[in-house]
Amino acid sequence: MRVVLIGPPGSGKGTQAVRIAAQFGAEHISAGDALRTEIAAGSELGLRARDYLSRGDLVPDDLVVELLWHRIVAAARAGGYVLDGFPRTVEQAEAAYRMAVEAGVTAHAAVYLAGDTQALVGRLLARAHVDGRVDDTAEVISHRLEVYARQTAPLADYYAQRGLLITIDAMLTPDEVTAAIIAALDQLPA
Ligand code: AP5
């Protein structure tokens, strides 16, 4: 199974990606986690990405593609992927689609987790006490939501036009969201 998860900050992409990957024997690939790992390691890519993450801006497309693309293709060939946070712009999606067609690894579905903004802010502020992510402050969360609305939200239409979009209510409990995603993916043609 090859799935792309999209949705605003706090909509549950990471939470659900782990579960969906386990269910379908696929690899969970998180763009944000991969970037944070590079930053923690102090790699050249991490140094280039660090300020974008702390401000809540998207890092340049070429950095993300360089970081993730080989891993995505390898996962697709091993048992599938669940992408969490990539693609994040229509430009990234178009570039990824061109490369995926060439490699024979295009996505089967794009799951869009739709959530209420105020509730999402509450989730992220609560997580700040637990995880201490530098971008989980009120100011940066607000900027991430603006960046999402401007740069990422158009992806829903992009995937709808490709006939891949599955919309799920992210305001349900985590278990209900998981069940809804699995039910929708189970209905895809084999
Ligand atoms: P990233 O790490 O992807 O952050 P994000 O999109 O802002 O998403 P979050 O991790 O905050 O939320 P989530 O939707 O995964 O929800 P989660 O499951 O964690 O990206 C960080 C940064 O990296 C970006 O700002 C950018 O700088 C850079 N970046 C990443 N990808 C990029 C790309 N492709 N191009 C350029 N730059 C990129 O849940 C959140 C909280 O809510 C948790 O505490 C969880 O327990 C809780 N929760 C989850 N589901 C529920 C539920 N159903 N009910 C109640 N609580 C819930």
Side-chain angles (χ1 to χ4, degrees), residues 36-152:
R36 284 184 286 274
T37 298
E38 294 294 319
I39 292 168
S43 70
E44 194 191 322
L45 194 150
L47 290 175
R48 287 171 64 200
R50 187 181 56 194
D51 290 348
Y52 292 96
L53 266 88
S54 56
R55 288 196 306 268
D57 285 321
L58 299 187
V59 308
D61 292 349
D62 60 322
L63 284 193
V64 186
V65 171
E66 177 188 333
L67 181 62
L68 298 180
W69 189 249
H70 290 295
R71 206 173 138 195
I72 291 171
V73 174
R77 295 190 173 144
Y81 56 66
V82 179
L83 303 186
D84 156 15
F86 177 83
R88 216 172 178 103
T89 62
V90 172
E91 291 73 22
Q92 285 182 10
E94 286 173 338
Y97 180 62
R98 283 193 297 274
M99 294 190 291
V101 167
E102 224 166 88
V105 299
T106 55
H108 297 116
V111 173
Y112 166 46
L113 297 175
D116 165 70
T117 302
Q118 276 319 308
L120 300 180
V121 171
R123 284 185 190 176
L124 295 175
L125 288 174
R127 184 177 66 183
H129 296 296
V130 184
D131 287 4
R133 252 174 69 167
V134 290
D135 57 350
D136 277 347
T137 63
E139 196 184 334
V140 180
I141 290 168
S142 159
H143 183 62
R144 284 160 60 200
L145 286 162
E146 280 167 30
V147 168
Y148 172 82
R150 196 170 61 246
Q151 297 186 258
T152 307

